[in-house]
């Protein structure tokens, strides 16, 4: 794929293209051009030059500002990158290069406010250099405006779990499952100034199913680093892709700690941007890391089950049962099933992202544990 005659690596050593939290995409949404000192997050972007036939692209950046999260983005938010995206990074501590990581270029279409398309963001740990290799597959060409986005999530913030309330807002069946401890947005250090738009809620006011994801990032983070991982995803979704907030409703770290994702109230039916075509009837829970080959821990399975049982219990949905969802657009899933807009489809009440979209998410190993999660949630 990467023969010497196909594409030559371009080594960029010139002036940095630095994008703070005043990204052009963000300004078009009325977001502030100066985020202030709340989190210290900032980002840097580099154009990834493509070959003349737009079949491949390579970029090597040996010296950058410190970053811990990266992704590859492109101009058209409705375009998909059909091909392979591989990245590696140079550790800021040791100067050594990591192994290659593969990013999903067609994970989701995001939300209506998106101003750029992009891969999932990946946690790299503190890094000072990066290399990206992109190759189109089949007869496709790469989308225009390819860019490497590097995010520094800023200093850590203490994570504090909020106690479970005695009652949940708008939750007629909340007594069926107790609310688990959930670390608030303030607990993971969300800079609320970068996403001033108000939250949206499910049109019918009812969560019918839980969609399970993984963030497709590194599994090497420590649990103390989890808030920084979430801040990096948040900044990437909002400032790099132009979403109004982080896409997931809830996140879970490798130690089983639950975190509040999209704002609007964890006890309310907040509409996320996590399952294209099915956002209006579901809530999304994403586990930090990649679970294609790694088996999630019992703590992860328990945390996902607890939040799923609580959210579904609010609306009288059996977590071990099924849900009928109406497709908001035509689609295709990982298993090759297709449907038209408006189709009525049956899903498990707790299902994987791949069931409703053509993606590997939430990874083979986490997907294989969904029956266990349903049993735990039902019990």
């Amino acid at each position: 794929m990467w023969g010497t005659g196909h594409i030559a690596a371009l080594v960029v050593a010139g002036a940095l293209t630095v994008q703070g939290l005043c990204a052009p995409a963000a300004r078009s949404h009325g977001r502030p051009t100066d985020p202030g000192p709340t989190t210290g997050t900032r980002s840097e972007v580099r154009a990834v030059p493509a070959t003349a036939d737009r079949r491949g692209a390579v970029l090597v950046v040996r010296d950058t500002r410190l970053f811990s999260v990266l992704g590859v983005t492109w101009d058209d938010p409705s375009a998909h990158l059909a091909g392979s995206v591989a990245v590696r990074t140079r550790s800021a501590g040791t100067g050594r290069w990591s192994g290659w990581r593969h990013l999903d270029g067609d994970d989701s279409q995001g939300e209506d406010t998106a101003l750029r398309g992009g891969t999932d963001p990946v946690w790299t740990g503190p890094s000072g250099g990066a290399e990206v290799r992109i190759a189109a597959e089949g007869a496709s060409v790469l989308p225009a405006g390819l860019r490497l986005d590097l995010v520094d999530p800023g200093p850590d913030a203490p994570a504090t779990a909020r106690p479970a309330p005695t009652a949940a807002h708008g939750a007629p069946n909340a007594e069926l499952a107790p609310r688990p401890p959930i670390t608030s947005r303030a607990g993971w250090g969300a800079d609320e100034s970068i996403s001033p738009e108000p939250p949206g809620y499910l049109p019918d006011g009812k969560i019918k199913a839980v969609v399970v994801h993984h963030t497709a990032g590194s599994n090497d983070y420590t649990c103390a680093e989890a808030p920084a991982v979430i801040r990096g995803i948040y900044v990437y979704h909002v400032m790099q892709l132009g979403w109004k907030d982080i896409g997931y409703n809830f996140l879970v770290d490798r130690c089983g700690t639950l975190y509040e994702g999209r704002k609007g109230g964890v006890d309310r039916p907040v509409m996320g941007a996590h399952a294209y075509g099915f956002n209006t009837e579901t809530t999304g829970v994403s586990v930090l890391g990649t679970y294609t080959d790694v088996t999630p821990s019992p703590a992860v399975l328990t945390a996902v089950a607890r939040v799923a049982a609580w959210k579904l219990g609010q609306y009288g949905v059996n977590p071990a049962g099924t849900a009928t969802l109406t497709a908001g657009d035509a689609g295709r899933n990982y298993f090759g099933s297709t449907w038209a807009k408006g189709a009525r489809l049956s899903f498990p009440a707790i299902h994987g992202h791949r069931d409703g979209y053509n993606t590997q998410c939430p990874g083979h190993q986490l997907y294989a544990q969904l029956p266990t999660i349903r049993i735990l949630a039902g019990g």
Side-chain angles (χ1 to χ4, degrees), residues 156-162 182-190 227-228 231 259-260:
D156 289 333
T160 55
R162 295 188 297 183
I182 301 171
T183 299
S184 69
R185 288 168 65 91
W188 55 260
R231 288 198 303 276
Y259 300 85
E260 176 184 11

Side-chain angles (χ1 to χ4, degrees), residues 313-358:
Q314 287 182 321
Y315 306 97
V317 178
N318 178 3
T322 60
T324 300
L325 306 180
T326 302
D329 208 338
R332 176 187 179 93
N333 70 10
Y334 181 75
F335 306 102
S337 297
T338 60
W339 53 83
K341 182 178 180 179
R344 303 262 299 164
L345 306 171
S346 180
F347 292 90
I350 300 174
H351 62 271
H353 189 195
R354 64 173 61 183
D355 290 317
Y357 197 80
N358 188 17

Side-chain angles (χ1 to χ4, degrees), residues 6-324:
H6 179 66
I7 187 168
L10 175 64
V11 180
V12 177
L16 298 178
T17 303
V18 178
Q19 179 187 31
L21 293 183
C22 52
R27 286 198 297 270
S28 71
H29 280 273
R31 299 190 182 104
T33 57
D34 180 5
T38 51
T39 64
T41 53
R42 61 184 177 185
S43 57
E44 174 184 336
V45 300
R46 299 293 189 104
V48 182
T51 54
D53 61 2
R54 287 176 57 192
R55 298 278 299 148
V58 171
L59 175 69
V60 182
V61 188
R62 301 198 182 280
D63 291 293
T64 70
R65 291 183 182 270
L66 188 70
F67 68 91
S68 294
V69 173
L70 65 75
V72 173
T73 66
W74 48 87
D75 288 344
D76 183 356
S78 65
H80 296 296
L81 195 161
S84 63
V85 182
V87 298
R88 65 172 185 159
T89 55
R90 184 176 58 79
S91 168
T94 66
R96 297 175 181 170
W97 287 88
S98 70
W100 289 97
R101 297 184 177 99
H102 294 274
L103 307 185
D104 193 339
D106 190 21
D107 183 59
S108 180
Q109 291 184 248
E111 61 183 343
D112 292 340
T113 62
L115 293 173
R116 291 184 68 79
T119 66
D120 280 332
V122 61
W123 171 261
T124 66
S127 304
E131 180 176 357
V132 58
R133 295 182 176 185
I134 309 172
E137 68 179 11
S140 64
V141 296
L142 300 177
L146 289 169
R147 197 174 79 183
L148 177 65
D149 291 65
L150 310 172
V151 176
D152 174 9
D156 289 333
T160 55
R162 295 188 297 183
T166 56
H169 177 83
N173 297 291
E175 71 278 3
L176 295 179
R179 169 182 158 166
I182 301 171
T183 299
S184 69
R185 288 168 65 91
W188 55 260
D191 180 357
E192 302 294 1
S193 70
I194 71 172
S195 59
E197 291 90 341
Y201 297 93
L202 304 190
D204 292 337
K206 180 179 179 180
I207 293 170
K208 298 179 180 178
V210 171
V211 184
V212 179
H213 304 257
H214 68 172
T215 60
S218 171
N219 298 75
D220 295 335
Y221 66 91
T222 67
C223 294
E225 290 174 319
V229 178
I230 298 171
R231 288 198 303 276
I233 295 170
Y234 173 53
V235 171
Y236 182 80
H237 282 177
V238 174
M239 306 308 298
Q240 313 309 121
L241 299 182
W243 299 7
K244 73 177 186 179
D245 197 351
I246 193 169
Y248 309 114
N249 297 96
F250 300 93
L251 300 101
V252 180
D253 69 21
R254 58 186 296 183
C255 294
T257 301
L258 274 162
Y259 300 85
E260 176 184 11
R262 181 159 289 211
K263 70 165 72 76
V266 293
D267 57 342
R268 302 188 64 188
V270 177
M271 187 162 73
H274 61 94
Y276 180 76
F278 301 101
N279 287 321
T280 59
E281 298 177 295
T282 65
T283 193
V285 181
S286 192
V287 182
L288 301 181
T290 299
Y291 292 91
T292 300
D293 301 311
V294 176
T295 301
S297 69
V300 166
L301 302 182
T302 300
V304 174
R306 291 184 71 187
V307 72
W310 175 57
K311 293 306 295 180
L312 293 174
Q314 287 182 321
Y315 306 97
V317 178
N318 178 3
T322 60
T324 300

